[in-house]
Amino acid sequence: MSKTQSSSAEPQVEHERLGSAWQGVPPPDYPESAPEGASLDLLLNAWLGKFTGGISPAALGNAYADWLSHLVLAPSKQQTLLQEAWKKIGRWQQYAMQSALPGAGANQPCIAPLPQDRRFADPAWQRWPYNLVYQGFLLQQQWWHRATTGVRGVSPHHEDVVTFTVRQWLDMLAPSNFLLTNPVVQQAALESGGASLARGMAHAAGDWQRAAMGAGATGEAAFKVGANLAVTPGKVVYRNDLIELIQYAPTTAKVHATPLLFVPAWIMKFYILDLSPHNSLVRYLVGQGHTVFMISWKNPLEEDRELSLEDYRQLGVMDALDAVARITGAPQVHAAGYCLGGTLLAIAAASMARDGDARLASLTMLASQVDFKEPGELSLFIDDSQVNFLEAAMWKQGYLDTKQMAGAFQLLRSNDLIWSRRLRHYLLGEDEQGSDLMAWNGDATRMPCRMHSEYLRRLFLHNDLAEGRYHTAGRHIALSDIDAPLFAVGTLTDHVAPWRSVYKLQLLSDTDVTFLLTSGGHNAGVVSPPGQPRRSYQLATQRHDAPYIDADSWQRDVPHHDGSWWPAWQAWLEERAGTQVAPPAMGPDLGDAPGSYVLQT
């Protein structure tokens, strides 16, 4: 594979803070440059990672050691926790005695679940003895939260890790997860004569068999790429060793003069933006008269281990821009990046601005971060210890396995993605209700070793892009050099790219920024076609010379609009998309959309 060489020639800034202690600056920790004999260390860590799910034992050990050592040195905190424990035991005992009295049905619980916790919502949980079981569990859950937070001296990251892992254990041991302590499961078993449990056992056996074969969940079988997913008509018009470029066929007699290029994240398949026909953003935009191009990333293998972030910029974004310009003849292109695709697009745009390349008419960032100081819950899995551990696994196989990334995302929403599913599927025996979004979510991708290592270290750990240390082609870039108008979308309940982190783009840019905050999460908030119920958004433009407005004030003061945000973005694009012209000719026909790269497993 042809790859760019600039990444290896970039200045080594990772260890500059220690440079004065040595004759020179130590080399970066990328595993391939490890000294002779260090491969044994990498092999040991890679082997260990198979048993820990890719979680570094040292990282967990560091977090718990920090928490415990400071808790030992905090007698006042210990006293408070002891008093809290006795109070909770007393409240639970009082509730238990009141529940045993006549008319106990009106007895108020001593603790209410959090608003998002629906595990004990069924009225069956209010019957004795199940009411005592779930109330005791919630009291214990609250006590553990107090125990793992607010310990003076514990680093915020370690506190988050300890709190998160304790919550995982408690979620796993919740009474809703077991037959003997879940009245809803028992009632379903009695009413079905045990058939619900039999179906659940069959589901479990089927899932185990499919997992062993590498197949998806049962609900995903009804969805297939090219059959009922990613079916917007188009052609692959360019291909290199990293991307296929798809040009979608026009459906209107006239189109806007300025085409639109999508840059999806390389950690996901592109068809999140082209799901079923009714919720395809691509189909919607084509129907509004836009000429749409889409990058489809290759799913890397072991031989692609040396692909770098710079390769993704040059072979991905820049090659795609060149191809769009050749095919359409348009002097400028609108570009939209989703998730990490937006981060990569921002890197490319800053590089183009540095080099005087003015081909970008506008940039749209969909749930994309450029400042990683507050990256959300994913930071739980990212520190120096964890990154070194991941690098060992990637060094051995050449890429980050799909299961490792999928497992991390599932843990972030374990109640929704793990335990609630197991309750419905295994204990209640309900059939899997699949959806196009679930099928896409199960269609994971791999990430090459070098690129993922650079991404974790340079963006997540060191925040080089936001702080002016990032290099492309061996030279610095600055986001403030971008002068194309920006449209940024944040999603209200995003656990991957928190909207306040996305909002920081306004602090780092020197151009007009239109920021839109929509309801929903990282995926469902973006996939928001018109007509979907319970959707809303806020929208405002901040001029480059206007005073800064903080995120909370923005959210408080900007008016709400009901409905999908897609028409608002389309109207913003339309204002900047030029006159209506005849559709450009399709590029070279290298095959029908969705192409071959998206089918790689």
Side-chain angles (χ1 to χ4, degrees):
M1 172 178 292
S2 61
K3 298 186 286 292
T4 61
Q5 301 300 318
S6 57
S7 59
S8 61
E10 293 172 4
Q12 296 174 351
V13 298
E14 185 172 350
H15 293 279
E16 283 180 356
R17 60 188 178 84
L18 296 178
S20 61
W22 306 94
Q23 294 297 319
V25 179
D29 287 340
Y30 179 65
E32 294 293 344
S33 61
E36 190 74 24
S39 58
L40 179 60
D41 303 342
L42 295 168
L43 285 170
L44 173 62
N45 282 270
W47 173 82
L48 188 59
K50 294 181 178 180
F51 300 95
T52 65
I55 302 298
S56 166
L60 282 180
N62 289 338
Y64 275 87
D66 189 7
W67 170 63
L68 285 171
S69 61
H70 283 92
L71 185 59
V72 168
L73 297 174
S76 296
K77 178 71 172 181
Q78 296 175 37
Q79 183 181 13
T80 300
L81 290 175
L82 184 60
Q83 291 171 347
E84 282 277 335
W86 281 113
K87 286 180 182 179
K88 292 183 186 303
I89 291 173
R91 286 166 59 192
W92 184 82
Q93 289 177 334
Q94 183 180 13
Y95 175 77
M97 289 187 292
Q98 291 174 346
S99 298
L101 296 175
N107 186 30
Q108 290 296 317
C110 55
I111 182 173
L114 295 172
Q116 68 271 22
D117 187 354
R118 304 293 299 168
R119 290 174 294 183
F120 311 110
D122 194 284
W125 284 102
Q126 305 307 318
R127 298 199 308 264
W128 187 92
Y130 306 105
N131 57 344
L132 305 185
V133 172
Y134 97 87
Q135 285 285 287
F137 171 78
L138 291 179
L139 287 168
Q140 178 182 229
Q141 180 177 261
Q142 187 183 69
W143 184 88
W144 272 107
H145 179 74
R146 301 268 173 84
T148 57
T149 57
V151 180
R152 288 176 59 86
V154 179
S155 78
H157 175 68
H158 287 160
E159 179 181 281
D160 291 343
V161 170
V162 171
T163 303
F164 176 79
T165 52
V166 168
R167 190 177 81 225
Q168 296 305 310
W169 279 105
L170 290 172
D171 286 346
M172 182 175 66
L173 298 174
S176 54
N177 294 334
F178 302 97
L179 170 63
L180 295 179
T181 53
N182 190 324
V184 180
V185 174
Q186 294 174 12
Q187 184 175 341
L190 287 173
E191 291 177 353
S192 65
S196 61
L197 295 177
R199 288 195 302 270
M201 292 177 63
H203 291 161
D207 282 355
W208 179 86
Q209 185 179 22
R210 278 184 291 275
M213 298 172 59
T218 52
E220 300 168 9
F223 298 93
K224 186 176 180 181
V225 176
N228 53 3
L229 298 176
V231 293
T232 302
K235 295 288 185 180
V236 175
V237 293
Y238 175 76
R239 181 185 293 119
N240 64 24
D241 290 333
L242 185 58
I243 69 165
E244 288 182 330
L245 182 66
I246 299 169
Q247 180 182 1
Y248 291 96
T251 59
T252 56
K254 296 284 187 177
V255 298
H256 300 291
T258 306
L260 171 65
L261 170 66
F262 273 109
V263 183
W266 55 86
I267 64 172
M268 58 177 70
K269 297 290 182 71
F270 79 84
Y271 65 90
I272 181 67
L273 301 169
D274 185 26
L275 284 170
S276 304
H278 72 278
N279 60 1
S280 166
L281 179 55
V282 169
R283 181 179 289 260
Y284 171 79
L285 290 169
V286 170
Q288 299 296 318
H290 293 277
T291 301
V292 179
F293 291 81
M294 176 73 70
I295 289 176
S296 175
W297 300 102
K298 177 184 179 181
N299 203 354
L301 296 169
E302 194 279 334
E303 60 265 25
D304 303 309
R305 62 188 305 127
E306 284 296 321
L307 281 169
S308 67
L309 265 175
E310 182 70 351
D311 292 319
Y312 272 71
R313 180 183 75 89
Q314 294 197 14
L315 296 176
V317 179
M318 301 313 297
D319 277 12
L321 278 172
D322 291 342
V324 172
R326 284 196 307 269
I327 292 168
T328 65
Q332 287 193 310
V333 176
H334 292 299
Y338 182 24
C339 186
L340 286 178
T343 307
L344 182 65
L345 178 59
I347 292 171
S351 303
M352 294 170 69
R354 176 200 63 197
D355 298 336
D357 186 340
R359 285 182 293 169
L360 291 179
S362 73
L363 269 74
T364 297
M365 313 276 281
L366 307 179
S368 302
Q369 298 175 97
V370 291
D371 185 323
F372 289 83
K373 192 174 182 64
E374 298 172 329
E377 292 182 331
L378 276 179
S379 63
L380 292 165
F381 303 99
I382 301 174
D383 55 26
D384 286 286
S385 175
Q386 183 61 50
V387 169
N388 275 284
F389 200 72
L390 279 176
E391 285 176 337
M394 294 190 295
W395 169 81
K396 187 173 188 302
Q397 60 194 17
Y399 52 81
L400 182 70
D401 190 82
T402 58
K403 295 178 181 178
Q404 291 170 290
M405 181 59 69
F409 281 110
Q410 284 185 331
L411 284 175
L412 292 178
R413 297 176 55 206
S414 59
N415 265 340
D416 295 331
L417 300 180
I418 299 177
W419 305 116
S420 293
R421 178 186 180 273
R422 294 191 179 189
L423 169 62
R424 297 190 307 270
H425 201 46
Y426 299 159
L427 295 181
L428 293 174
E430 297 177 2
D431 292 332
E432 191 83 82
Q433 299 298 315
S435 68
D436 50 8
L437 194 57
M438 286 177 59
W440 167 84
N441 195 56
D443 192 7
T445 58
R446 296 175 292 274
M447 281 168 282
C449 180
R450 178 176 288 277
M451 182 281 299
H452 197 54
S453 177
E454 291 175 348
Y455 154 67
L456 291 177
R457 290 190 176 278
R458 299 173 65 185
L459 298 181
F460 259 96
L461 285 183
H462 302 302
N463 206 20
D464 286 347
L465 179 60
E467 296 179 9
R469 293 187 299 271
Y470 198 91
H471 295 73
T472 61
R475 297 159 59 205
H476 282 92
I477 61 170
L479 295 170
S480 57
D481 289 341
I482 300 172
D483 58 5
L486 283 165
F487 192 102
V489 176
T491 57
L492 192 60
T493 58
D494 199 327
H495 61 285
V496 177
W499 76 265
R500 286 177 177 83
S501 182
V502 175
Y503 186 85
K504 287 183 179 181
L505 178 65
Q506 300 195 48
L507 285 171
L508 298 167
S509 60
D510 193 22
T511 185
D512 294 349
V513 178
T514 300
F515 186 77
L516 184 147
L517 178 62
T518 181
S519 56
H522 189 69
N523 298 323
V526 172
V527 183
S528 180
Q532 222 172 20
R534 299 182 299 278
R535 296 291 183 177
S536 64
Y537 65 91
Q538 296 170 269
L539 175 69
T541 297
Q542 182 80 0
R543 290 193 55 81
H544 70 280
D545 54 357
Y548 174 70
I549 301 173
D550 68 274
D552 292 329
S553 298
W554 187 97
Q555 185 183 28
R556 181 194 64 222
D557 298 336
V558 173
H560 287 76
H561 305 275
D562 292 330
S564 165
W565 63 270
W566 290 6
W569 179 45
Q570 195 283 133
W572 185 89
L573 283 175
E574 191 173 40
E575 291 178 4
R576 297 159 177 82
T579 59
Q580 294 273 317
V581 298
M586 298 292 287
D589 185 356
L590 304 181
D592 291 333
S596 59
Y597 281 3
V598 73
L599 302 177
Q600 293 172 332
T601 59

